[in-house]
Amino acid sequence: MDTRKALASGSVLKFPGMVCSIEKEIGRGSDSIVYKGSYPDMFCRDDMHTVLIKELFPYHPKGLIYRAEGGDIIHSSLAEAVWEMQMKKFEYGNRFHIKICADHPDSAVANFNSFILNGTVYTVLGYTSGRTLYDEIMHNDQSMHTLIFRILSILDALSIFHREGLIHLDIAPDNILLIGHGLNERSMIIDFNSFCPVKDVREASQKMLTSKASYTAPEIRTGNRQAAGIPSDLYSVTAVFFRCLTGRALTPFQMICRKPPDVSGCRMLSEFPEPAKKHIQRILAKGLAVFPAKRYQNVMEMQKDFREFGSELFKYSS
């Protein structure tokens, strides 16, 4: 049970030159809590800038990392190893986030600055008013055409990081941000604390690698780091596609089964003929292959199959 106590609404964080007020918590992960907040413009003092504030606050199963009455984050000596590991991941992710913002400003939420306060670290991020793919799945129906468009957009966003020599290792609906609507919608991949250079992942400690039920590739979950790489991320994208297609997350059995789950009877495919259903089954079979060598090896290869399916949809809809 997650007993971490978030900052209360109205709490004030006195960062140098940027005094921020907390509005509300909007999400949390294993290493941090994210808030919506604001700070006053230094010239137009009555006007406020809306931001996201990410607080390093790792979850500890025994509650050995906690918030004191005054707001400070405290960790006991028994949690020192966990704290140091999460601090390194937070710093590591922040460095890559800053680099991505500089090299590809349209592909990531702005990273304004980081501050040490309350015994921990805070990063102030741009606020996009986007919504997560998880929220979209939970609250809105989507057509097959919209789903294919989104998967292609997610792959476009992911390709930027792969070109930089990075793999994300935590692709899941709650880490995909949708900005805009319709044909103007685009995807951003968030949570930089899980990233790892491809060249380093095989030497990384298992504790440094993020694992998320229903989305993390088998080689990451089992600790077979020698097999980790770009196909690991593409497994996760396929798992996201399965969730959007069926409304269900992959089960542990489905993730180790040699055959992909049968989706021919799912509602979203009901209006399409057998060739279209078989095309989807081929995508799932390749994307969810247990062995990385049998999966898609790069984003372009996966996009090709989705674009071909998109062309088939247009034909069936005409």
Tab-separated table of all heavy atoms in Angstrom, residues 90-139:
chain	number	residue	atom	x	y	z
A	90	PHE	N	16.957	9.930	-10.809
A	90	PHE	CA	16.309	11.233	-10.985
A	90	PHE	C	17.270	12.204	-11.686
A	90	PHE	O	16.888	12.906	-12.625
A	90	PHE	CB	15.900	11.784	-9.615
A	90	PHE	CG	14.874	12.883	-9.669
A	90	PHE	CD1	13.524	12.588	-9.664
A	90	PHE	CD2	15.256	14.213	-9.704
A	90	PHE	CE1	12.565	13.596	-9.701
A	90	PHE	CE2	14.324	15.227	-9.745
A	90	PHE	CZ	12.962	14.916	-9.738
A	91	GLU	N	18.518	12.227	-11.218
A	91	GLU	CA	19.513	13.102	-11.843
A	91	GLU	C	19.799	12.672	-13.281
A	91	GLU	O	19.868	13.511	-14.193
A	91	GLU	CB	20.810	13.069	-11.030
A	91	GLU	CG	21.928	13.921	-11.639
A	91	GLU	CD	23.242	13.795	-10.898
A	91	GLU	OE1	23.313	13.018	-9.929
A	91	GLU	OE2	24.204	14.468	-11.320
A	92	TYR	N	19.939	11.382	-13.477
A	92	TYR	CA	20.238	10.817	-14.801
A	92	TYR	C	19.133	11.183	-15.799
A	92	TYR	O	19.384	11.671	-16.895
A	92	TYR	CB	20.354	9.306	-14.646
A	92	TYR	CG	20.953	8.562	-15.805
A	92	TYR	CD1	22.303	8.661	-16.087
A	92	TYR	CD2	20.174	7.720	-16.594
A	92	TYR	CE1	22.868	7.952	-17.124
A	92	TYR	CE2	20.732	7.010	-17.638
A	92	TYR	CZ	22.082	7.127	-17.904
A	92	TYR	OH	22.634	6.435	-18.932
A	93	GLY	N	17.882	10.959	-15.362
A	93	GLY	CA	16.748	11.274	-16.225
A	93	GLY	C	16.641	12.758	-16.514
A	93	GLY	O	16.305	13.167	-17.628
A	94	ASN	N	16.949	13.572	-15.510
A	94	ASN	CA	16.865	15.021	-15.682
A	94	ASN	C	17.883	15.510	-16.714
A	94	ASN	O	17.597	16.395	-17.535
A	94	ASN	CB	17.091	15.706	-14.341
A	94	ASN	CG	16.263	16.960	-14.192
A	94	ASN	OD1	15.099	16.988	-14.577
A	94	ASN	ND2	16.860	17.998	-13.637
A	95	ARG	N	19.074	14.944	-16.676
A	95	ARG	CA	20.106	15.346	-17.643
A	95	ARG	C	19.666	15.051	-19.073
A	95	ARG	O	19.829	15.882	-19.971
A	95	ARG	CB	21.424	14.623	-17.345
A	95	ARG	CG	22.135	15.103	-16.104
A	95	ARG	CD	23.426	14.336	-15.887
A	95	ARG	NE	24.100	14.748	-14.674
A	95	ARG	CZ	24.906	15.808	-14.583
A	95	ARG	NH1	25.143	16.543	-15.651
A	95	ARG	NH2	25.488	16.114	-13.427
A	96	PHE	N	19.095	13.844	-19.285
A	96	PHE	CA	18.647	13.494	-20.624
A	96	PHE	C	17.435	14.318	-21.040
A	96	PHE	O	17.275	14.669	-22.210
A	96	PHE	CB	18.348	12.003	-20.718
A	96	PHE	CG	19.589	11.180	-20.941
A	96	PHE	CD1	20.053	10.316	-19.968
A	96	PHE	CD2	20.318	11.295	-22.116
A	96	PHE	CE1	21.205	9.574	-20.169
A	96	PHE	CE2	21.476	10.562	-22.320
A	96	PHE	CZ	21.918	9.696	-21.352
A	97	HIS	N	16.566	14.633	-20.082
A	97	HIS	CA	15.402	15.468	-20.385
A	97	HIS	C	15.862	16.834	-20.887
A	97	HIS	O	15.344	17.353	-21.888
A	97	HIS	CB	14.539	15.619	-19.128
A	97	HIS	CG	13.204	16.214	-19.387
A	97	HIS	ND1	12.228	16.304	-18.425
A	97	HIS	CD2	12.658	16.781	-20.503
A	97	HIS	CE1	11.152	16.871	-18.928
A	97	HIS	NE2	11.393	17.187	-20.185
A	98	ILE	N	16.818	17.430	-20.223
A	98	ILE	CA	17.342	18.738	-20.634
A	98	ILE	C	17.940	18.655	-22.035
A	98	ILE	O	17.732	19.541	-22.880
A	98	ILE	CB	18.381	19.245	-19.619
A	98	ILE	CG1	17.696	19.561	-18.277
A	98	ILE	CG2	19.120	20.476	-20.147
A	98	ILE	CD1	18.659	19.795	-17.136
A	99	LYS	N	18.665	17.574	-22.306
A	99	LYS	CA	19.272	17.397	-23.632
A	99	LYS	C	18.208	17.246	-24.713
A	99	LYS	O	18.301	17.857	-25.785
A	99	LYS	CB	20.186	16.167	-23.632
A	99	LYS	CG	20.931	15.955	-24.952
A	99	LYS	CD	21.834	14.744	-24.887
A	99	LYS	CE	22.717	14.635	-26.126
A	99	LYS	NZ	21.970	14.621	-27.377
A	100	ILE	N	17.183	16.428	-24.427
A	100	ILE	CA	16.115	16.233	-25.413
A	100	ILE	C	15.380	17.550	-25.664
A	100	ILE	O	15.033	17.881	-26.804
A	100	ILE	CB	15.130	15.153	-24.927
A	100	ILE	CG1	15.811	13.780	-24.923
A	100	ILE	CG2	13.880	15.117	-25.797
A	100	ILE	CD1	16.240	13.280	-26.280
A	101	CYS	N	15.140	18.322	-24.610
A	101	CYS	CA	14.467	19.624	-24.775
A	101	CYS	C	15.289	20.558	-25.661
A	101	CYS	O	14.744	21.332	-26.446
A	101	CYS	CB	14.232	20.274	-23.413
A	101	CYS	SG	12.883	19.524	-22.471
A	102	ALA	N	16.610	20.495	-25.524
A	102	ALA	CA	17.483	21.362	-26.326
A	102	ALA	C	17.544	20.898	-27.777
A	102	ALA	O	17.488	21.720	-28.703
A	102	ALA	CB	18.885	21.375	-25.721
A	103	ASP	N	17.631	19.589	-27.990
A	103	ASP	CA	17.795	19.060	-29.345
A	103	ASP	C	16.477	18.864	-30.086
A	103	ASP	O	16.425	18.973	-31.311
A	103	ASP	CB	18.540	17.720	-29.297
A	103	ASP	CG	19.956	17.856	-28.770
A	103	ASP	OD1	20.456	19.000	-28.728
A	103	ASP	OD2	20.554	16.832	-28.393
A	104	HIS	N	15.398	18.560	-29.336
A	104	HIS	CA	14.093	18.273	-29.950
A	104	HIS	C	13.002	18.953	-29.115
A	104	HIS	O	12.226	18.289	-28.427
A	104	HIS	CB	13.846	16.767	-30.013
A	104	HIS	CG	14.968	15.998	-30.647
A	104	HIS	ND1	15.106	15.881	-32.010
A	104	HIS	CD2	16.001	15.306	-30.100
A	104	HIS	CE1	16.175	15.150	-32.280
A	104	HIS	NE2	16.736	14.795	-31.141
A	105	PRO	N	12.905	20.273	-29.159
A	105	PRO	CA	12.007	21.006	-28.254
A	105	PRO	C	10.533	20.658	-28.382
A	105	PRO	O	9.769	20.868	-27.436
A	105	PRO	CB	12.268	22.479	-28.606
A	105	PRO	CG	12.901	22.453	-29.954
A	105	PRO	CD	13.676	21.184	-30.026
A	106	ASP	N	10.100	20.129	-29.525
A	106	ASP	CA	8.686	19.797	-29.689
A	106	ASP	C	8.333	18.403	-29.193
A	106	ASP	O	7.166	18.014	-29.218
A	106	ASP	CB	8.279	19.901	-31.172
A	106	ASP	CG	8.295	21.333	-31.666
A	106	ASP	OD1	8.116	22.236	-30.828
A	106	ASP	OD2	8.486	21.548	-32.880
A	107	SER	N	9.333	17.664	-28.758
A	107	SER	CA	9.082	16.257	-28.421
A	107	SER	C	9.007	15.997	-26.924
A	107	SER	O	8.771	14.860	-26.514
A	107	SER	CB	10.190	15.377	-29.015
A	107	SER	OG	11.426	15.629	-28.368
A	108	ALA	N	9.191	17.006	-26.104
A	108	ALA	CA	9.195	16.789	-24.655
A	108	ALA	C	8.627	18.006	-23.940
A	108	ALA	O	8.708	19.136	-24.435
A	108	ALA	CB	10.617	16.519	-24.163
A	109	VAL	N	8.041	17.753	-22.775
A	109	VAL	CA	7.577	18.847	-21.916
A	109	VAL	C	8.776	19.673	-21.481
A	109	VAL	O	9.847	19.127	-21.177
A	109	VAL	CB	6.849	18.259	-20.683
A	109	VAL	CG1	6.485	19.367	-19.703
A	109	VAL	CG2	5.608	17.493	-21.110
A	110	ALA	N	8.637	20.994	-21.471
A	110	ALA	CA	9.743	21.881	-21.097
A	110	ALA	C	10.249	21.568	-19.696
A	110	ALA	O	9.474	21.257	-18.787
A	110	ALA	CB	9.289	23.336	-21.168
A	111	ASN	N	11.569	21.618	-19.522
A	111	ASN	CA	12.211	21.409	-18.233
A	111	ASN	C	12.830	22.748	-17.825
A	111	ASN	O	13.866	23.151	-18.339
A	111	ASN	CB	13.285	20.322	-18.366
A	111	ASN	CG	13.900	19.933	-17.040
A	111	ASN	OD1	14.200	20.782	-16.212
A	111	ASN	ND2	14.109	18.641	-16.842
A	112	PHE	N	12.156	23.471	-16.903
A	112	PHE	CA	12.582	24.833	-16.565
A	112	PHE	C	13.795	24.867	-15.645
A	112	PHE	O	14.761	25.578	-15.885
A	112	PHE	CB	11.429	25.607	-15.920
A	112	PHE	CG	10.287	25.883	-16.853
A	112	PHE	CD1	8.991	25.816	-16.399
A	112	PHE	CD2	10.508	26.200	-18.187
A	112	PHE	CE1	7.921	26.077	-17.249
A	112	PHE	CE2	9.463	26.461	-19.049
A	112	PHE	CZ	8.159	26.393	-18.576
A	113	ASN	N	13.725	24.098	-14.551
A	113	ASN	CA	14.834	24.124	-13.593
A	113	ASN	C	14.588	23.088	-12.503
A	113	ASN	O	13.475	22.582	-12.356
A	113	ASN	CB	14.977	25.510	-12.950
A	113	ASN	CG	16.419	25.865	-12.660
A	113	ASN	OD1	17.260	24.985	-12.471
A	113	ASN	ND2	16.733	27.150	-12.623
A	114	SER	N	15.642	22.779	-11.753
A	114	SER	CA	15.521	21.872	-10.617
A	114	SER	C	16.077	22.544	-9.376
A	114	SER	O	17.015	23.360	-9.458
A	114	SER	CB	16.263	20.554	-10.884
A	114	SER	OG	15.663	19.830	-11.932
A	115	PHE	N	15.496	22.194	-8.227
A	115	PHE	CA	15.873	22.837	-6.970
A	115	PHE	C	15.973	21.796	-5.859
A	115	PHE	O	15.218	20.823	-5.840
A	115	PHE	CB	14.818	23.878	-6.566
A	115	PHE	CG	14.561	24.928	-7.600
A	115	PHE	CD1	13.548	24.760	-8.535
A	115	PHE	CD2	15.340	26.085	-7.647
A	115	PHE	CE1	13.293	25.734	-9.487
A	115	PHE	CE2	15.095	27.062	-8.602
A	115	PHE	CZ	14.070	26.888	-9.525
A	116	ILE	N	16.901	22.024	-4.933
A	116	ILE	CA	17.018	21.197	-3.738
A	116	ILE	C	16.281	21.899	-2.607
A	116	ILE	O	16.562	23.060	-2.297
A	116	ILE	CB	18.493	20.967	-3.368
A	116	ILE	CG1	19.208	20.210	-4.489
A	116	ILE	CG2	18.593	20.188	-2.058
A	116	ILE	CD1	20.699	20.074	-4.281
A	117	LEU	N	15.304	21.229	-2.037
A	117	LEU	CA	14.483	21.816	-0.978
A	117	LEU	C	13.804	20.685	-0.209
A	117	LEU	O	13.549	19.613	-0.768
A	117	LEU	CB	13.421	22.747	-1.592
A	117	LEU	CG	12.595	23.607	-0.626
A	117	LEU	CD1	13.454	24.724	-0.028
A	117	LEU	CD2	11.391	24.228	-1.355
A	118	ASN	N	13.533	20.900	1.054
A	118	ASN	CA	12.794	19.928	1.869
A	118	ASN	C	13.466	18.555	1.906
A	118	ASN	O	12.805	17.525	2.003
A	118	ASN	CB	11.353	19.766	1.362
A	118	ASN	CG	10.527	21.021	1.541
A	118	ASN	OD1	10.908	21.930	2.277
A	118	ASN	ND2	9.401	21.080	0.853
A	119	GLY	N	14.793	18.547	1.802
A	119	GLY	CA	15.515	17.286	1.868
A	119	GLY	C	15.416	16.446	0.608
A	119	GLY	O	15.784	15.266	0.610
A	120	THR	N	14.923	17.040	-0.479
A	120	THR	CA	14.782	16.286	-1.715
A	120	THR	C	15.019	17.204	-2.913
A	120	THR	O	15.557	18.302	-2.770
A	120	THR	CB	13.394	15.615	-1.785
A	120	THR	OG1	13.371	14.720	-2.891
A	120	THR	CG2	12.270	16.622	-1.914
A	121	VAL	N	14.637	16.751	-4.103
A	121	VAL	CA	14.833	17.519	-5.333
A	121	VAL	C	13.490	17.717	-6.028
A	121	VAL	O	12.663	16.783	-6.072
A	121	VAL	CB	15.804	16.801	-6.300
A	121	VAL	CG1	16.052	17.656	-7.541
A	121	VAL	CG2	17.113	16.475	-5.608
A	122	TYR	N	13.277	18.918	-6.548
A	122	TYR	CA	12.082	19.231	-7.326
A	122	TYR	C	12.499	19.685	-8.717
A	122	TYR	O	13.451	20.454	-8.868
A	122	TYR	CB	11.281	20.363	-6.668
A	122	TYR	CG	10.712	20.027	-5.314
A	122	TYR	CD1	11.475	20.212	-4.153
A	122	TYR	CD2	9.424	19.529	-5.187
A	122	TYR	CE1	10.953	19.903	-2.911
A	122	TYR	CE2	8.892	19.225	-3.937
A	122	TYR	CZ	9.668	19.414	-2.806
A	122	TYR	OH	9.144	19.113	-1.575
A	123	THR	N	11.769	19.233	-9.737
A	123	THR	CA	11.965	19.733	-11.096
A	123	THR	C	10.685	20.428	-11.541
A	123	THR	O	9.589	19.869	-11.403
A	123	THR	CB	12.305	18.593	-12.076
A	123	THR	OG1	13.548	18.004	-11.687
A	123	THR	CG2	12.444	19.116	-13.493
A	124	VAL	N	10.822	21.654	-12.035
A	124	VAL	CA	9.683	22.434	-12.516
A	124	VAL	C	9.574	22.244	-14.023
A	124	VAL	O	10.521	22.515	-14.768
A	124	VAL	CB	9.832	23.926	-12.162
A	124	VAL	CG1	8.610	24.711	-12.653
A	124	VAL	CG2	9.996	24.099	-10.649
A	125	LEU	N	8.417	21.776	-14.462
A	125	LEU	CA	8.191	21.418	-15.858
A	125	LEU	C	7.082	22.260	-16.469
A	125	LEU	O	6.216	22.794	-15.767
A	125	LEU	CB	7.785	19.937	-15.958
A	125	LEU	CG	8.727	18.923	-15.310
A	125	LEU	CD1	8.053	17.570	-15.200
A	125	LEU	CD2	10.017	18.817	-16.102
A	126	GLY	N	7.085	22.353	-17.793
A	126	GLY	CA	6.031	23.066	-18.490
A	126	GLY	C	4.706	22.327	-18.379
A	126	GLY	O	4.657	21.101	-18.294
A	127	TYR	N	3.625	23.086	-18.377
A	127	TYR	CA	2.277	22.513	-18.309
A	127	TYR	C	1.660	22.565	-19.700
A	127	TYR	O	1.577	23.639	-20.311
A	127	TYR	CB	1.418	23.309	-17.324
A	127	TYR	CG	0.004	22.787	-17.182
A	127	TYR	CD1	-0.243	21.588	-16.520
A	127	TYR	CD2	-1.074	23.489	-17.720
A	127	TYR	CE1	-1.532	21.102	-16.381
A	127	TYR	CE2	-2.368	23.014	-17.583
A	127	TYR	CZ	-2.591	21.818	-16.916
A	127	TYR	OH	-3.869	21.335	-16.797
A	128	THR	N	1.229	21.423	-20.217
A	128	THR	CA	0.748	21.349	-21.604
A	128	THR	C	-0.763	21.270	-21.718
A	128	THR	O	-1.301	21.403	-22.808
A	128	THR	CB	1.317	20.104	-22.301
A	128	THR	OG1	0.800	18.939	-21.656
A	128	THR	CG2	2.834	20.087	-22.245
A	129	SER	N	-1.454	21.026	-20.624
A	129	SER	CA	-2.900	20.761	-20.592
A	129	SER	C	-3.255	19.507	-21.385
A	129	SER	O	-4.393	19.312	-21.792
A	129	SER	CB	-3.718	21.960	-21.104
A	129	SER	OG	-3.602	22.110	-22.509
A	130	GLY	N	-2.252	18.662	-21.645
A	130	GLY	CA	-2.516	17.398	-22.322
A	130	GLY	C	-3.172	16.401	-21.386
A	130	GLY	O	-3.342	16.641	-20.192
A	131	ARG	N	-3.553	15.260	-21.931
A	131	ARG	CA	-4.137	14.195	-21.123
A	131	ARG	C	-3.372	12.919	-21.426
A	131	ARG	O	-2.850	12.749	-22.523
A	131	ARG	CB	-5.622	14.029	-21.404
A	131	ARG	CG	-5.964	13.429	-22.764
A	131	ARG	CD	-6.535	14.447	-23.711
A	131	ARG	NE	-6.917	13.816	-24.982
A	131	ARG	CZ	-6.482	14.219	-26.151
A	131	ARG	NH1	-5.624	15.219	-26.253
A	131	ARG	NH2	-6.905	13.636	-27.258
A	132	THR	N	-3.311	12.026	-20.446
A	132	THR	CA	-2.577	10.787	-20.665
A	132	THR	C	-3.408	9.833	-21.508
A	132	THR	O	-4.650	9.897	-21.523
A	132	THR	CB	-2.208	10.092	-19.346
A	132	THR	OG1	-3.403	9.655	-18.698
A	132	THR	CG2	-1.415	11.010	-18.445
A	133	LEU	N	-2.720	8.931	-22.189
A	133	LEU	CA	-3.422	7.905	-22.952
A	133	LEU	C	-4.251	7.038	-22.006
A	133	LEU	O	-5.342	6.578	-22.379
A	133	LEU	CB	-2.417	7.045	-23.722
A	133	LEU	CG	-2.990	5.910	-24.569
A	133	LEU	CD1	-3.948	6.437	-25.626
A	133	LEU	CD2	-1.866	5.101	-25.225
A	134	TYR	N	-3.776	6.838	-20.789
A	134	TYR	CA	-4.548	6.055	-19.811
A	134	TYR	C	-5.909	6.699	-19.557
A	134	TYR	O	-6.947	6.029	-19.567
A	134	TYR	CB	-3.771	5.947	-18.498
A	134	TYR	CG	-4.540	5.222	-17.410
A	134	TYR	CD1	-4.582	3.836	-17.378
A	134	TYR	CD2	-5.233	5.939	-16.438
A	134	TYR	CE1	-5.307	3.161	-16.397
A	134	TYR	CE2	-5.961	5.278	-15.452
A	134	TYR	CZ	-5.991	3.903	-15.436
A	134	TYR	OH	-6.709	3.257	-14.465
A	135	ASP	N	-5.922	8.020	-19.340
A	135	ASP	CA	-7.191	8.721	-19.120
A	135	ASP	C	-8.087	8.619	-20.339
A	135	ASP	O	-9.311	8.477	-20.230
A	135	ASP	CB	-6.939	10.195	-18.788
A	135	ASP	CG	-6.372	10.390	-17.389
A	135	ASP	OD1	-6.590	9.501	-16.542
A	135	ASP	OD2	-5.699	11.406	-17.157
A	136	GLU	N	-7.486	8.709	-21.522
A	136	GLU	CA	-8.264	8.624	-22.762
A	136	GLU	C	-8.905	7.236	-22.886
A	136	GLU	O	-10.074	7.123	-23.277
A	136	GLU	CB	-7.339	8.889	-23.957
A	136	GLU	CG	-8.055	9.084	-25.267
A	136	GLU	CD	-8.731	10.443	-25.412
A	136	GLU	OE1	-8.657	11.264	-24.477
A	136	GLU	OE2	-9.340	10.661	-26.468
A	137	ILE	N	-8.160	6.195	-22.573
A	137	ILE	CA	-8.701	4.831	-22.633
A	137	ILE	C	-9.867	4.676	-21.654
A	137	ILE	O	-10.895	4.072	-21.966
A	137	ILE	CB	-7.610	3.795	-22.292
A	137	ILE	CG1	-6.525	3.771	-23.366
A	137	ILE	CG2	-8.212	2.394	-22.150
A	137	ILE	CD1	-5.298	2.959	-22.975
A	138	MET	N	-9.714	5.248	-20.462
A	138	MET	CA	-10.713	5.061	-19.413
A	138	MET	C	-12.000	5.848	-19.662
A	138	MET	O	-13.078	5.422	-19.258
A	138	MET	CB	-10.122	5.468	-18.054
A	138	MET	CG	-8.947	4.616	-17.610
A	138	MET	SD	-9.363	2.857	-17.451
A	138	MET	CE	-10.507	2.913	-16.064
A	139	HIS	N	-11.892	6.992	-20.343
A	139	HIS	CA	-13.042	7.897	-20.407
A	139	HIS	C	-13.605	8.142	-21.804
A	139	HIS	O	-14.681	8.729	-21.929
A	139	HIS	CB	-12.670	9.254	-19.780
A	139	HIS	CG	-12.253	9.150	-18.348
A	139	HIS	ND1	-10.979	9.418	-17.914
A	139	HIS	CD2	-12.947	8.772	-17.247
A	139	HIS	CE1	-10.901	9.235	-16.610
A	139	HIS	NE2	-12.078	8.834	-16.183
